[in-house]
Amino acid sequence: MPLHGVGAKPQTMRELSDMQSIMNKQGSAEVLLSLVPGRLARQFSADPSPLKEPRQDRFEAAVLFADISGFTVLAEALARRGPAGVEELTRVLNVYFGRLIDTIDAHGGDITKFAGDALLALWPSTDEGLSTVTSRAAQCGLAAQELFQDAPELENLRLSVRIGLGSGPVSLMTLGGLNDRWAAVATGDALLQISDATHQAQPGQVVLSPEAWTWVSHQAEGQPLRDGAVCLSSICGTLQAARPAAPLLTMESMAALRGFVPPSVVSYLEQGRTDWIGQLRRVTVLFIHFPGLTPTTPLERAQSVMLVLQAILIRYEGIVNKLSVDDKGAALVAALGLPPLVHEDDPARTVQAALDIQDRLRELNVRNAIGVSTGRAFCGVVGNSTRREYTMIGDVVNLAARLMQAAPGDILCDEATYQAACARIPFESLPPITVKGKASPLPVFRPVASSRKCSSSTLRQEATMVGREAERSTLSGHLKSLAAGGKGGVVVIEGDAGIGKSRLIDDLIEQAQAAGVVPLTGYGRAVERFTPYFAWRDVFAEVCGLQSNDHEVRRNQVADRIGAVAGADWMDRAALVNGVLLTDFPETEGTAGMSEQLRSALMHELLLRVLTSLPDSSSPKLLILEDGHWLDSASWSLALLVSQRVPSLLLVLTTRPMRDPAPEFTALVGASGTRLLRLDALLPDDANCLVCQRLGVDSIPNRLAAMIFEKAAGNPLFCRELAYALKESGRIAIVNGEFRITAEAGELSELDIPGTVEAAITSRIDRLTPSEQLVLKAASVIGRIFLSPILSHIYPIEAEKGQLDDMILELVERDMISVEPAKLDREYAFKHVVIQTVAYNLMLFSQRRQLHRGIAEWLENA
């Protein structure tokens, strides 16, 4: 059923209900149409079939490129205001974009892409001649310049616009397709023309390429420029507007178009709350330039490069934001930290992704340059209700672009990225460079390819264990039983990020080594959570003594192990373990025809024999699997089987709380031999001791200890990071082992939340539904403690107010807020002040003002 256009008046309650559903879907369709180029929407309206392969649509068109002049200077001025300046910059950009969008739409143009402070529009000559559409684009350019003549001043600056026009062949390529994510990019001769035309244009001018001028010269006047370009001064006649009708979207065509819109926007789109998409987030931006790809590059070649980029970014859970092609080549902008995919180690992930991309592009003989920067940016839509696009705006984006420009054939990172990632990835410090927009030379760093793993094991703490006596005693008891030849059992350690799971494992390993037990360890990784048995690869590599990456060497070592523990009869089945041991045994007649169920059962049997049939001197007695929340179902199945079939082994797993755990995990936790240890916050004295240990002092002032404990709510990672942040900010100093406060107590409480802490909390918030996120944000404006009636008054979605109590209870269930005991009815509190602060900081200042105004109104009427 088409979602545009409403039929006759409904007569029954069923018809009323159906009509309301259609109206809701119609609103979503209208928003979706505003987020994609019109030509793309019309293509999927005509044929809603999902794309299965890349596509190239060739046609002739007039092309207009509008670049807002003075925006860079304004951005630098407003950047000094911090996040408020970024939001003001976005507001100003939307005012100017709004004028351009409305003018282009009125003249029948189709805005194909936004690019920072510029946009690109097309007038295809499908139904009209190239002369007619070029005239329309020229008239549009002059009309836009008239609108900008009365532009207001801001920061003593008056913005203007430079417009370049081209006319000729255009190619709209649709690339990608991994995970049904697609990118549309316009290329072709007409776009090459606008590059030179725009460079020649001064603020307030419309410059036509020589090709475009030939189509309108009979009716226009202008000033000749170099190389045949013309600065347009007037054009005779007025063409009647040729605005195409909005396409009719079915559910199928809407589903196809969602592949071109970021996932975070889709979730808000489906709930009709586009006003709350915008956020201020800490992101790591990846700017990639590959000059070898030009408008003349064949579709197959462009697709091969795009698939490489997509595969690596998906693996590290990054999101492609923009793709463009011009006369200088192709450029891709991506980021980690965009909703709903944020991690504590996003900077390290981004750098590792950059290294992987560099390696793969070199293999494809594609030259490249990569810039990486970390910081806070506006992440939301720019434009207006007619045409808009999800983007990132802020100094962090500009900086990544500048680093890319300074890194031909290389990768350059800013200092914030280096500081956040250097514990996991080695870097070379390079001489500072001068870049546009920065008054002082910029420190830059080059990452060095390394075999070091980005897992929780990389950042082990060597300091003495603090607290957790009960949990340590439980693990010690299991270990003693194991060492004495008894049953090991299963221990599951569950807790939030930073609560101390890895530190408890470190302590267990120290105890095991002291007892003569050598543990085997495997790790789940977010980027490998769909890779079967990934967590077991390190375990079996150690069991089989696999150290070489050479396929023949590994194959021979595994063959020797299988022959020793299972016999020659099993050699015909060796291909079953290829995925776990990264071998390449050929499929045999016996394995090729096996059902998946039989393959899995025989593979498990073979792996169990390998695991249990070792000599006593190297027999695995302690097996640790960390980061279980990232384990795939197959890994959980093997873990459950090992717990049931190998009684002499102590299996210890760590995991964050999982909302929808795998059935195998549920069975494992529910087994009689399993002990579940849930880690809660540290006690105040233990938290104080941890902070002193990390700072290298014997004691700290009570007021500082109380402030850190309140902000961190006893989370060990948060305590440690806040202590480091205080030291790095200069608010405190350690002199000869003595603690000194160098700032007033009030300033201590205003400390910015460290990036790792912010990311850990943001990750939890992003896992909420848009409605639950909005509840959390609205509550954060009220304070650490809030009343449900106030929240109901300020909650901005009127239709959802009746569901507030249920959503609050869901947040209680997720351990983000708590019910205040023995106080007012329906009084709640944030579990951590950090949760409140992060939720509050995610909001734009305009969103905060709206909610603060609601609180003032409530207080006036109370």
Side-chain angles (χ1 to χ4, degrees), residues 433-456:
I433 63 174
T434 301
V435 299
K436 183 180 178 181
K438 296 295 180 181
S440 302
L442 188 73
V444 291
F445 304 85
R446 176 194 295 126
V448 179
S450 170
S451 60
R452 296 168 66 182
K453 297 178 182 178
C454 286
S455 68
S456 58

Side-chain angles (χ1 to χ4, degrees), residues 253-521:
S253 55
M254 287 179 66
L257 285 174
R258 284 192 179 93
F260 295 85
V261 181
S264 57
V265 177
V266 172
S267 62
Y268 277 84
L269 171 74
E270 290 173 342
Q271 298 203 14
R273 56 190 63 216
T274 55
D275 291 343
W276 290 85
I277 291 177
Q279 295 180 329
L280 294 171
R281 299 178 71 94
R282 182 178 181 268
V283 294
T284 301
V285 179
L286 186 69
F287 228 114
I288 310 166
H289 186 233
F290 23 105
L293 293 180
T294 69
T296 61
T297 300
L299 176 65
E300 296 75 16
R301 172 72 164 167
Q303 172 70 353
S304 66
V305 173
M306 186 62 186
L307 287 177
V308 164
L309 296 171
Q310 269 197 318
I312 293 173
L313 288 168
I314 287 172
R315 181 168 181 259
Y316 289 96
E317 300 198 321
I319 292 176
V320 175
N321 185 245
K322 294 187 188 303
L323 174 66
S324 60
V325 178
D326 59 21
D327 58 321
K328 298 181 181 64
L332 181 140
V333 186
L336 276 78
L338 291 174
L341 304 173
V342 62
H343 322 82
E344 300 94 308
D345 60 345
D346 274 331
R349 285 167 176 257
T350 308
V351 175
Q352 189 59 58
L355 288 166
D356 290 357
I357 287 170
Q358 184 184 63
D359 288 343
R360 291 290 291 117
L361 291 183
R362 284 174 176 170
E363 291 175 6
L364 293 174
N365 197 29
V366 175
R367 291 177 293 131
N368 61 86
I370 302 176
V372 183
S373 62
T374 299
R376 192 170 293 277
F378 164 85
C379 303
V381 293
V382 294
N384 62 16
S385 58
T386 300
R387 185 69 173 91
R388 47 193 158 189
E389 192 170 277
Y390 187 83
T391 192
M392 302 176 292
I393 294 176
D395 184 59
V396 63
V397 184
N398 300 332
L399 182 54
R402 302 288 181 253
L403 291 170
M404 176 200 71
Q405 292 166 356
D410 209 343
I411 302 172
L412 293 183
C413 302
D414 71 336
E415 187 170 17
T417 303
Y418 162 75
Q419 293 289 351
C422 63
R424 298 192 177 192
I425 297 173
F427 286 83
E428 292 178 357
S429 178
L430 302 178
I433 63 174
T434 301
V435 299
K436 183 180 178 181
K438 296 295 180 181
S440 302
L442 188 73
V444 291
F445 304 85
R446 176 194 295 126
V448 179
S450 170
S451 60
R452 296 168 66 182
K453 297 178 182 178
C454 286
S455 68
S456 58
S457 64
T458 311
L459 301 177
R460 294 305 195 190
Q461 306 297 328
E462 297 180 356
T464 304
M465 184 78 182
V466 174
R468 307 299 188 199
E469 283 81 6
E471 292 85 356
R472 294 176 69 195
S473 176
T474 296
L475 290 169
S476 178
H478 279 276
L479 192 60
K480 289 177 181 178
S481 175
L482 176 70
K487 294 180 63 175
V490 180
V491 179
V492 177
I493 303 172
E494 183 182 84
D496 289 326
I499 203 67
K501 302 183 296 296
S502 293
R503 186 63 192 91
L504 196 58
I505 290 296
D506 288 343
D507 185 71
L508 173 63
I509 291 174
E510 292 172 7
Q511 292 187 52
Q513 291 172 338
V517 176
V518 179
L520 298 171
T521 308

Side-chain angles (χ1 to χ4, degrees), residues 666-787:
T666 303
L668 189 68
V669 172
S672 58
T674 299
R675 181 70 181 272
L676 177 61
L677 301 180
R678 287 195 172 95
L679 299 189
D680 294 319
L682 291 175
L683 297 173
D685 287 346
D686 289 335
N688 188 20
C689 180
L690 177 63
V691 170
C692 291
Q693 185 184 88
R694 293 297 184 261
L695 293 176
V697 296
D698 294 330
S699 63
I700 59 176
N702 291 336
R703 59 175 178 166
L704 178 63
M707 187 274 289
I708 291 178
F709 185 80
E710 179 186 8
K711 276 185 173 287
N715 182 295
L717 171 67
F718 296 178
C719 288
R720 184 178 69 250
E721 292 294 324
L722 287 169
Y724 284 151
L726 283 167
K727 185 177 180 181
E728 292 172 1
S729 69
R731 288 177 168 89
I732 64 173
I734 312 298
V735 181
N736 297 326
E738 295 183 0
F739 180 91
R740 295 181 185 177
I741 295 180
T742 60
E744 295 298 324
E747 293 176 338
L748 289 175
S749 63
E750 297 169 3
L751 178 71
D752 290 338
I753 296 174
T756 50
V757 177
E758 180 182 1
I761 297 299
T762 303
S763 178
R764 294 184 63 192
I765 294 175
D766 281 345
R767 290 196 290 271
L768 303 174
T769 67
S771 296
E772 291 164 353
Q773 291 183 37
L774 188 52
V775 170
L776 207 65
K777 292 174 181 177
S780 75
V781 177
I782 302 172
R784 172 76 185 276
I785 298 175
F786 60 92
L787 293 172

